[in-house]
Amino acid sequence: MKKLISAILLSVFCVTLFSSCGHIASLRTLKMQARHNGKCKYLRCDEDENSRTAYFEDELGFEYHITSYMSDISIDGASFGSVPSTTSNYESEYFKCLCGKANEAEPDCTAKFGEVDDYSQIKIYADPNDMSESVVTIGKAFKKLEKRKEYTNSTIPVYDKNDTSEYPEQIAAFGYEDEVFLDKNAADAQYYLDRINDYSNMYYRKSAKPSYSRHEHKTLKAFPDITDDKLSTLLGKPDPKVEGVEVYYFTIDGEEYFITNVLIYDKSYQNTFFYNNYITDPYDR
């Protein structure tokens, strides 16, 4: 018990010591960070004792800011000082600019990029009756402009431009690396292949390159390893006991594996992952 108390006190001391030395970034530091984004012009600075915000105009013509501020440290409701943090809207503004330029570059294309939100979520809106060619056209226009390699997702989601519901469903995707159109099934498969790559990074510390093979729909009974105590369902996800299981087969180094759309708990029951037979439990160390 004494060792535990000593460890806690030591941790608190370290946090307090670290936070007491923190300061918001200088204007010079913020300017250096901006130069890493690309060529830009410094515009102005707003600051007070707790924060400093510098504004810049990128060479592509859009304005963005970088803010340094003191972020409070709270543990179980107790305050342990603060540490310097930095935020910026550079990425979302950069993507907004590129999406606008891509739309302008292809004025006759029926597919268009929609508004980019603050979370840098890029979306293509297309006519379901005229998708494959138009999605590739507008997707290629964006990729040609994106020379800074800021976009790291494997796909750009596609939505029905006539769907005015609050939460429209994704109907297709633009395969970014290969510059191809992905229908709904192929787009879903790519999402799960990305998860396999994530798990490989977690477990093997290396990237996996799964190649999609095929898709099947099966009942939950086909997977006896997915027991009730392992099964984890999230809000908005279909219940596999009722809806069944979507199975996506892929190959790595000539061997075929599968991943499902069913989330199960890891051995610690603290994390979840999609059930697959490539990595049984990516959180198991």
Side-chain angles (χ1 to χ4, degrees):
M1 185 67 179
K2 289 183 178 180
K3 290 183 178 180
L4 177 61
I5 294 175
S6 299
I8 293 174
L9 291 176
L10 179 61
S11 299
V12 171
F13 173 76
C14 291
V15 170
T16 305
L17 179 64
F18 176 73
S19 61
S20 65
C21 298
H23 300 283
I24 60 174
S26 66
L27 178 57
R28 180 174 179 271
T29 298
L30 296 182
K31 288 181 177 180
M32 290 176 63
Q33 292 182 17
R35 285 197 289 271
H36 284 298
N37 295 331
K39 292 183 180 179
C40 61
K41 178 175 69 175
Y42 168 68
L43 298 176
R44 63 190 184 280
C45 182
D46 296 333
E47 58 185 272
D48 55 38
E49 60 182 12
N50 296 315
S51 67
R52 176 175 289 114
T53 300
Y55 296 84
F56 303 90
E57 181 181 321
D58 189 271
E59 65 176 336
L60 296 177
F62 65 90
E63 182 179 315
Y64 68 94
H65 65 259
I66 304 176
T67 299
S68 177
Y69 63 97
M70 299 304 294
S71 179
D72 293 334
I73 300 175
S74 296
I75 303 176
D76 294 332
S79 177
F80 293 95
S82 56
V83 293
S85 300
T86 303
T87 60
S88 175
N89 67 340
Y90 161 75
E91 185 180 85
S92 61
E93 293 301 315
Y94 172 63
F95 287 154
K96 285 179 185 178
C97 176
L98 295 195
C99 286
K101 289 182 180 293
N103 287 341
E104 292 173 1
E106 297 292 344
D108 298 326
C109 184
T110 57
K112 297 291 183 184
F113 282 98
E115 184 67 25
V116 178
D117 61 24
D118 293 337
Y119 299 99
S120 301
Q121 292 181 332
I122 298 176
K123 300 177 182 179
I124 295 174
Y125 290 88
D127 184 342
N129 299 314
D130 176 32
M131 281 199 303
S132 57
E133 194 171 318
S134 62
V135 165
V136 171
T137 297
I138 202 70
K140 284 184 175 181
F142 175 88
K143 187 175 180 180
K144 184 178 179 180
L145 292 164
E146 215 291 82
K147 299 178 181 179
R148 299 181 185 178
K149 309 301 180 183
E150 298 284 355
Y151 192 78
T152 57
N153 294 344
S154 63
T155 63
I156 298 178
V158 177
Y159 293 84
D160 183 349
K161 69 177 184 181
N162 301 311
D163 188 345
T164 59
S165 61
E166 186 176 2
Y167 300 106
E169 289 189 10
Q170 180 180 339
I171 59 173
F174 171 69
Y176 197 77
E177 182 177 352
D178 297 326
E179 300 181 356
V180 295
F181 173 79
L182 302 175
D183 61 18
K184 181 66 166 62
N185 190 58
D188 289 344
Q190 185 59 55
Y191 171 81
Y192 293 104
L193 295 191
D194 288 344
R195 303 293 74 76
I196 285 295
N197 189 39
D198 292 341
Y199 300 158
S200 185
N201 276 315
M202 292 167 60
Y203 191 81
Y204 299 122
R205 297 288 191 264
K206 68 176 184 179
S207 296
K209 294 184 178 180
S211 176
Y212 175 57
S213 301
R214 55 197 172 90
H215 162 263
E216 289 183 0
H217 178 83
K218 295 185 176 182
T219 65
L220 185 61
K221 292 180 180 179
F223 301 95
D225 288 344
I226 307 179
T227 55
D228 285 345
D229 63 317
K230 293 181 181 178
L231 188 61
S232 170
T233 56
L234 300 180
L235 184 64
K237 295 291 184 181
D239 185 347
K241 293 181 179 179
V242 178
E243 303 294 334
V245 180
E246 305 302 331
V247 189
Y248 301 93
Y249 295 89
F250 60 93
T251 58
I252 295 181
D253 296 331
E255 297 291 330
E256 186 175 66
Y257 305 92
F258 68 78
I259 182 171
T260 73
N261 67 331
V262 179
L263 282 167
I264 64 171
Y265 286 109
D266 67 354
K267 291 184 178 180
S268 68
Y269 284 87
Q270 294 181 345
N271 296 297
T272 60
F273 64 98
F274 290 103
Y275 178 73
N276 69 92
N277 68 343
Y278 180 64
I279 298 178
T280 306
D281 182 353
Y283 299 97
D284 183 16
R285 296 292 189 268

